[in-house]
Amino acid sequence: MEASRPGEFELIARYFAPLAARFPGAAGLKNDVAVLSVPPGYELAVKTDTIVAGMHFLPNDPADTIAKKALRVNLSDLAAAGSAPLAYQMALSLPKDWTEAWMGQFVDGLADDQKIFGVHLCGGDTVATPGPLTVSITAFGLAAIGQAMGRSGAKPGDDIWVTGTIGDAQLGLALLQSGLEPLSDAARTYLVDRYRVPQPRLSLAHHLFTTARATIDVSDGLAADLGHICTASGVGAVIEAGAVPLSQPARELVGRDPSLLASLLTGGDDYEILLTASNDMRNAIDILARQLGFPITRIGRIVAGNAVNVMRFGTRLGLERPGFRHF
């Protein structure tokens, strides 16, 4: 290690202890464990996600966006579970070429998001690795007892809804890898930001128990994650491809090349919330979307069976794969 760089404990004290300063159970990161208090009437929701350079982000992505993505993909899962974020732990595996400038930017990204989402670092680990940069975060959230949401409540006849827009992150990655025709600077920036910095729908979380039957966040791809709901609930699903919400840049690109649509439905990294609800909730969900300030769009229905079918103009749309898989 370069003489100018801090050692492990100095690294923790200089960069990470300030992120934990306002969380009493973290004890200033001076203990081996954190202590989390759960208020009466609540239970703890826990989620761990890992992001790896070259797999979930590009090695030359800005350090603050890497930090934000690592935290936000976990917060997205908490939101889909109907829980509010409380604290998080982080295991950071650093390759030998890290610099203090990079670390400062990385920590700034976490500090910004802690302010935005009201969450605090409460522990973790920092190690050296010969492999790629890896960030693993475990996020803790609070849900009212008996109100945490999951994948297993969908019933035939339910509507299928999704927040935001689908496919932007897939297009943003393709742009970074020079796999698409050029777009306007504004469109390019929008799509790249959607890939690098997800927007967890935490403001929806506490409405899910009274609105939805089954929920999941869209990380592996819309079709794949809907398949997870179907498997857990013992049902099938039909998606109307034309109803899936696309951003203006995505619509422009699909207009040029309609074959892109299949990849947008399976690409992943959207981190929107997919939910099913009885059809008597339609008006309530439309009102909720207006109140929250982002779209929640009805895209299909739950049916008997066990398959996810994507339809376009009355014909089943063939998908090469439903979504991303590591193995």
Side-chain angles (χ1 to χ4, degrees):
M1 178 176 289
E2 296 175 9
S4 61
R5 290 197 310 196
E8 178 184 358
F9 296 105
E10 187 182 354
L11 177 68
I12 293 169
R14 183 184 302 179
Y15 290 104
F16 300 124
L19 297 176
R22 298 182 61 186
F23 192 80
L29 302 187
K30 294 177 181 177
N31 291 336
D32 287 330
V33 300
V35 178
L36 278 68
S37 298
V38 179
Y42 288 86
E43 52 193 354
L44 206 58
V46 183
K47 171 62 182 178
T48 299
D49 256 326
T50 299
I51 65 171
V52 181
M55 180 64 68
H56 304 92
F57 60 91
L58 300 180
N60 62 347
D61 279 349
D64 59 332
T65 68
I66 297 170
K68 288 172 180 286
K69 186 167 192 175
L71 180 56
R72 291 179 183 212
V73 299
N74 285 275
L75 299 184
S76 179
D77 276 304
L78 292 185
S83 60
L86 173 66
Y88 68 97
Q89 295 198 336
M90 177 176 66
L92 183 61
S93 300
L94 288 166
K96 62 182 180 181
D97 60 351
W98 72 273
T99 65
E100 287 209 69
W102 184 94
M103 184 61 70
Q105 189 181 20
F106 182 86
V107 169
D108 285 346
L110 290 175
D112 287 346
D113 269 7
Q114 289 193 178
K115 293 176 184 176
I116 292 170
F117 300 114
V119 66
H120 303 278
L121 181 68
C122 70
D125 196 15
T126 307
V127 300
T129 178
L133 171 68
T134 302
V135 189
S136 184
I137 283 181
T138 297
F140 304 92
L142 295 175
I145 290 176
Q147 295 189 12
M149 299 297 297
R151 305 173 179 181
S152 61
K155 299 180 182 299
D158 280 1
D159 294 324
I160 302 167
W161 301 77
V162 70
T163 64
T165 55
I166 294 298
D168 294 328
Q170 173 76 7
L171 294 172
L173 175 59
L175 284 167
L176 288 169
Q177 296 176 327
S178 301
L180 285 177
E181 298 178 34
L183 288 169
S184 69
D185 289 345
R188 177 184 173 86
T189 298
Y190 171 81
L191 294 174
V192 169
D193 283 350
R194 287 278 285 160
Y195 171 68
R196 286 176 169 166
V197 186
Q199 300 296 326
R201 302 300 185 179
L202 286 162
S203 60
L204 178 60
H206 74 277
H207 298 283
L208 291 174
F209 180 73
T210 57
T211 304
R213 281 189 170 140
T215 59
I216 193 172
D217 81 326
V218 181
S219 54
D220 295 332
L222 179 68
D225 288 310
L226 180 55
H228 297 326
I229 285 180
C230 290
T231 297
S233 300
V235 295
V238 175
I239 299 174
E240 299 295 338
V244 174
L246 303 179
S247 66
Q248 181 58 44
R251 287 197 298 270
E252 179 183 339
L253 288 166
V254 170
R256 295 182 197 172
D257 181 4
S259 68
L260 277 176
L261 181 60
S263 69
L264 302 191
L265 300 180
T266 60
D269 263 353
D270 295 304
Y271 297 102
E272 298 291 351
I273 294 180
L274 183 67
L275 61 102
T276 79
S278 64
N279 54 30
D280 61 4
M281 295 301 297
R282 291 178 183 178
N283 188 54
I285 292 173
D286 286 338
I287 292 172
L288 184 58
R290 291 194 292 272
Q291 291 174 340
L292 296 178
F294 53 79
I296 309 176
T297 306
R298 184 160 48 95
I299 62 170
R301 63 191 184 279
I302 296 295
V303 297
N306 56 19
V308 175
N309 289 309
V310 181
M311 307 300 293
R312 190 180 191 194
F313 306 128
T315 301
R316 186 174 181 273
L317 185 65
L319 301 177
E320 184 176 337
R321 57 181 177 81
F324 177 80
R325 288 189 177 185
H326 282 279
F327 305 104

